[in-house]
Amino acid sequence: MTSGQRRRCFGLLCSAGDVWACVLEVNAWRRRRQDTPLVGYQELCRELAVSGPGTFGGLDSTGARSVLRRFSDAWFAAAKRRKAGDAAVRFPRRRRALMPVRWYHGTFSITDRRVRIPCAKGSPGLEVRLARDLPYPVEQVRSITLLCEGGRLFLDVTAEIPVTVYPPGEEPVPGRVAGVDLGIIHPYAVAGSDGQGLLVSGRAIRAEHRMHLADTKARRRAVARRAPKPGQKGSRRWRRYRRRARQIEGRHRRRVRQAYHEAAKTVIGWAVQQRIGVLHVGDPRGVLDLPAGRRHNLRLRQWQIGRAIQILTDKATLAGVTVHLVDERGTSSTCPTCHRRVPKPRGRVFTCPHCGYTGHRDLTAAATIATRAPGGGPTTTTAPVVLPQVVTHRRAGRHLPGAGQSRRDPRRPPRRRDGSVGQRWPAPPPDGGESLAHHSEDPQHPPETR
């Protein structure tokens, strides 16, 4: 886009931030007067209509109402969690400089790669050109969202996609149930009802988190002397550094998000191939409330449990597979053959000292999760557990830098005896092109089933 189009797009995001700040300020006034807060979507829309056109620059009423909808949903979601007993939840009271703006179907137009974005009455029209073709047909697009991530402008597209239709005899069977165990080393471990298993390795994702944290610390140490004091205006060099840091942070988030999508796509493809109709997914979000030290707490936050569940649910719904969340407590420390509690193993091998059973810890947990009933209930059951006999190994995050070279440290090879770190593997190009990493299979986990 041109500099003028970029300036106008950021102007719309700034105007949306002004709408958010205005709602916060109005509710602050009402709170000081001990009045009822203004949080309902219809009430907020009436206040917006009273303000008149042109109050928030070039932002039209449709885009402003999308910000009001976001505020209303956030407020009621916080109120619901506080009513359930979660006192740590806070209502939205933080101002934001840039807010995403959403337009629903009928307020915008798409022609080839050109999108015409509506603006306020009296403002000239804004037409931008997309960097690539839409992944969906134009008639299926239902809304677009303008947002900024890492200093770059994106247009998020929401489309209505029909559920996959299978030929007769190849559709998922509702009676076939598989258990899914979520984890850090293995984002998804799946155990089917006929002795089939799937392990998706996420070591490349974990290494991406580690290396991004190490690089961030190194950059901060390098510029510590140039950092402005509190209340001091930053220099142009400091603003360039902050801009570059935001770009790197956005690229890291996009890489991790893409890796989770690849892992979920692998699971759903395997489930469709096995004709699995129901997935029982263990919900481990209760561990987020347990204080485990700053290092382990960081690993839990980088895990992104909710995103992993949501991505898997979306792709399963599109494929016609039903997903149920079940309680996964004790699945990694309960023997599937004698149903006795054993000490949770530290490694990947589960061994029962009572009956001598030995197997993969994550697959054992997934097989036990498959027998759990959704919606709560007792976690102790005597139902037979179908243990995987044939395991398929796959890897997630092949687009990450150097993912085909090493599992633990994909960007930097191990040090040599002479102290040299050797050749550094290049990162993928910033324009989103082909990754320079080798697409070879993991030598420790060959692709063939065994």
Side-chain angles (χ1 to χ4, degrees), residues 44-65:
L44 293 173
C45 289
R46 283 194 291 266
E47 290 292 329
L48 178 66
V50 171
S51 62
T55 306
F56 300 101
L59 187 65
D60 65 330
S61 59
T62 303
R65 285 198 297 265

Side-chain angles (χ1 to χ4, degrees), residues 180-184 186-189 200 205 256-257 259-265 267-268 279 281-285 288 300-316 323 325:
V180 182
D181 179 68
L182 304 179
I184 298 178
H186 295 100
Y188 301 103
V200 181
I205 305 177
V256 174
R257 187 186 305 120
Y260 274 104
H261 277 282
E262 292 179 1
K265 183 178 179 180
V267 173
I268 299 303
L279 291 178
V281 181
D283 189 0
R285 284 177 287 189
L288 299 178
L300 291 178
R301 295 311 183 270
Q302 292 175 346
W303 186 4
Q304 302 180 6
I305 307 175
R307 171 169 291 175
I309 296 176
Q310 186 62 46
I311 291 176
L312 183 66
T313 304
D314 292 342
K315 295 186 182 300
V323 176
L325 295 181

Side-chain angles (χ1 to χ4, degrees), residues 20 39-42 44 67-77 92:
W20 182 274
V39 295
Y41 176 65
Q42 294 181 353
L44 293 173
V67 181
L68 301 181
R69 169 67 72 181
R70 185 184 296 268
F71 175 84
S72 180
D73 293 345
W75 197 94
F76 281 107

Side-chain angles (χ1 to χ4, degrees), residues 102 105 108 134-144 157-164 317-318:
R102 178 179 176 269
H105 179 71
F108 61 91
L134 289 175
Y136 315 107
V138 178
E139 58 272 9
Q140 295 182 358
V141 177
R142 291 296 174 262
S143 67
I144 60 174
V157 178
T158 303
E160 182 182 6
I161 304 177
V163 179
T164 305
T317 303
L318 181 61

